[in-house]
Amino acid sequence: MVEFDMPFAARLSPHVDRVRQHTKTWVRDMGMLNGAPWTEAFYDAADYGGFGPLTHPTASLEDLKHINDWHTWGFYLHDAFREGFLRSRNVLGGKAFIARLKEILASGTAPMNPAEKGLADLVSRSSLDDDDRAGVISLLDGMSWELHNTAQGRVPDPIDLVEMRRKTNAGDLSAALAQKSVGAELPAELLRNSTMRALVDSFGDVPGLRQEILGFDAFYGSGASTTSAVLAVQQFFECELQQAVSVVGDLVAARLRQIESIIAELPSLVQEYDLDEQARAGLHRYVEALKSWLAGELLWSRRSGRFSFSPAPTRKSFHSPTGLGTAAVLVRS
């Protein structure tokens, strides 16, 4: 049995109800509830409006609305791309879809579909720097990589997959949103430090790999994509599927231990960079924000119906999803 332990505590923003209301209005205005790939019932079961309040519990109401729109757009983007292009192996259509999004990011081209409308709206009310834009482009390039692998029926090497999953999971963008949400102004040279980069990489790996276990049946076991860490481990080690799930679960646990180890090293970085009191306080808030994000994302994943939604009534508990990627997992938070 795979166990998802969490050394950090989850908290819920007091703005959760207002954020849920705002986010649902926003996705409806963007045309995301037209039934392909989201229905209103699926959206409600997934509780995308509750994601940000759990991952950014200390953010102000206005910041939280904006942050949650970005995360919700990311979820929609992945689902629309998977159902529109990955599952059908439509490489040409997928490349055109990604190219249009890059145009919107660069020049504000008039949007045509919900994914484009969502991005155009977010760009119009965001202060994106070069790193932010590079992060979105990296996300889109990672999706293109996934499509080409899937169209070729190729299961990537586990190491390559973990590195690319950081891009498709937008770990850098999530870390940047967490930093901005707590007003942590930090020196650029500190953020580029190898220890800080390792912290962000490990931070991005945890939810990406864990959701590949939770979403295996819905996203990978159904044949929608071949870029699964579970499938990669199974093929590389020539092991049973359940063994592969356990190996990926162990990798998630190892990343969490690495995060704790890196956090313990940060006082030496404070001295190395001679951080003043304001920067030290910002670094502390940033680290606490990353910890809250990880704990909140796990709790959201546990409660969300994103990985287990069925339009038919069921007697199974909403908090106990089933299937290869879920019934074998004990989530502790």
Side-chain angles (χ1 to χ4, degrees), residues 16 21 52 57 72 130 133 149 208 219 222 226 228 242 270 308-309:
V16 57
Q21 182 180 18
T72 302
D130 290 342
R133 292 181 184 276
N149 276 280
F219 304 154
S222 65
T226 62
S228 159
Q242 192 56 56
V270 171
S308 60
F309 173 73

Side-chain angles (χ1 to χ4, degrees), residues 2-331:
V2 179
E3 296 185 357
F4 285 155
D5 291 323
M6 176 52 61
F8 313 126
R11 293 177 291 168
L12 180 65
S13 168
H15 306 305
V16 57
D17 291 336
R18 296 178 69 179
V19 173
R20 281 194 177 113
Q21 182 180 18
H22 161 83
T23 306
K24 189 166 187 179
T25 299
W26 184 75
V27 298
R28 183 179 285 116
D29 289 345
M30 296 300 106
M32 295 179 185
L33 299 182
N34 61 4
W38 286 0
T39 64
E40 187 166 347
F42 172 75
Y43 174 87
D44 290 340
D47 189 25
Y48 294 112
F51 183 85
L54 277 170
T55 54
H56 298 78
T58 64
S60 68
L61 175 59
E62 291 308 310
D63 284 348
L64 192 50
K65 288 178 180 178
H66 188 63
I67 288 168
N68 205 57
D69 289 348
W70 269 108
H71 283 299
T72 302
W73 174 78
F75 283 120
Y76 181 87
L77 175 68
H78 279 96
D79 289 356
F81 191 73
R82 182 183 63 252
E83 298 306 320
F85 308 104
L86 271 177
R87 195 178 295 279
S88 61
R89 279 51 173 171
N90 182 357
V91 174
L92 291 179
K95 288 176 63 177
F97 177 82
I98 290 171
R100 285 274 308 169
L101 290 169
K102 288 183 177 181
E103 290 176 5
I104 287 172
L105 183 66
S107 61
T109 301
M112 298 174 58
N113 57 51
E116 293 178 8
K117 290 178 182 177
L119 180 59
D121 180 71
L122 289 167
V123 169
S124 72
R125 52 192 176 93
S126 299
S127 299
L128 299 178
D129 58 25
D130 290 342
D131 288 341
D132 295 330
R133 292 181 184 276
V136 176
I137 291 173
S138 181
L139 161 65
L140 297 173
D141 287 343
M143 293 168 59
S144 179
W145 174 84
E146 182 171 3
L147 176 58
H148 281 282
N149 276 280
T150 298
Q152 295 169 12
R154 178 178 178 268
V155 178
D157 174 271
I159 295 177
D160 290 343
L161 191 142
V162 169
E163 291 179 353
M164 289 302 298
R165 184 58 72 213
R166 291 172 186 161
K167 296 183 178 181
T168 57
N169 197 50
D172 283 358
L173 286 174
S174 295
L177 285 172
Q179 180 187 344
K180 292 176 182 179
S181 74
V182 294
E185 297 289 339
L186 299 172
E189 59 270 21
L190 172 65
L191 295 174
R192 290 193 294 266
N193 176 276
S194 59
T195 299
M196 294 298 294
R197 286 304 316 161
L199 175 62
V200 172
D201 286 347
S202 296
F203 163 80
D205 286 346
V206 170
L209 294 171
R210 185 168 56 219
Q211 289 190 19
E212 288 204 4
I213 295 176
L214 294 172
F216 184 87
D217 289 331
F219 304 154
Y220 307 105
S222 65
S225 173
T226 62
T227 58
S228 159
V230 173
L231 292 178
V233 168
Q234 183 189 24
Q235 177 172 285
F236 187 81
F237 292 105
E238 298 182 347
C239 62
E240 296 295 327
L241 197 56
Q242 192 56 56
Q243 289 177 292
V245 170
S246 296
V247 169
V248 177
D250 289 343
L251 182 56
V252 172
R255 288 294 190 267
L256 281 170
R257 291 193 298 270
Q258 184 174 10
I259 288 170
E260 291 185 285
S261 177
I262 292 171
I263 291 174
E265 297 176 18
L266 293 183
S268 64
L269 278 185
V270 171
Q271 294 182 345
E272 178 182 346
Y273 286 87
D274 193 23
L275 299 183
D276 59 24
E277 184 176 350
Q278 182 178 357
R280 290 198 302 270
L283 179 59
H284 175 74
R285 292 196 304 273
Y286 178 40
V287 171
E288 291 301 310
L290 294 180
K291 290 161 63 175
S292 291
W293 198 103
L294 291 169
E297 188 274 339
L298 174 60
L299 186 55
W300 178 83
S301 295
R302 181 185 183 185
R303 295 178 174 179
S304 171
R306 173 173 171 77
F307 310 108
S308 60
F309 173 73
S310 171
T314 175
R315 299 179 64 181
K316 296 184 178 70
S317 170
F318 176 75
H319 299 287
S320 301
T322 61
L324 170 67
T326 52
V329 178
L330 172 63
V331 181

